[in-house]
């Protein structure tokens, strides 16, 4: 089962993009954004699922250089 995560900017607090991972990303994981920039995850937050839902929201916080 793949994980759909929202990539969040640690500096501004704004979402950057959605990304699909094959498994839960680790807090030190490195990956490329749609812009091609290589970033490392600062932290990974897993929220509580909405009532009646099974999918929990996942946020990966990164600090882009640009």
């Amino acid at each position: 089962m793949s994980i759909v995560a929202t990539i969040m900017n640690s500096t501004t607090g704004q979402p950057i993009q959605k990304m699909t991972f094959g498994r839960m990303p680790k807090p030190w994981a490195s990956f490329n954004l749609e812009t091609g920039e290589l970033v490392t995850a600062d932290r990974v937050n897993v929220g509580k699922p909405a009532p009646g839902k099974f999918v929990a929201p996942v946020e990966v916080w990164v600090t882009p250089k640009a």
Side-chain angles (χ1 to χ4, degrees):
M1 180 175 169
S2 60
I3 305 293
V4 177
T6 303
I7 310 300
M8 302 289 288
N9 188 330
S10 293
T11 307
T12 64
Q14 298 296 316
I16 299 173
Q17 70 182 49
K18 293 265 189 190
M19 190 171 227
T20 302
F21 293 92
R23 58 189 185 124
M24 184 63 73
K26 301 292 184 191
W28 56 83
S30 295
F31 51 90
N32 289 320
L33 297 176
E34 290 174 344
T35 59
E37 181 179 358
L38 180 66
V39 293
T40 303
D42 297 333
R43 69 180 194 261
V44 177
N45 289 348
V46 180
K48 293 178 71 173
K53 302 287 183 180
F54 295 101
V55 179
V58 178
E59 296 176 342
V60 179
W61 292 80
V62 299
T63 305
K65 306 270 189 288

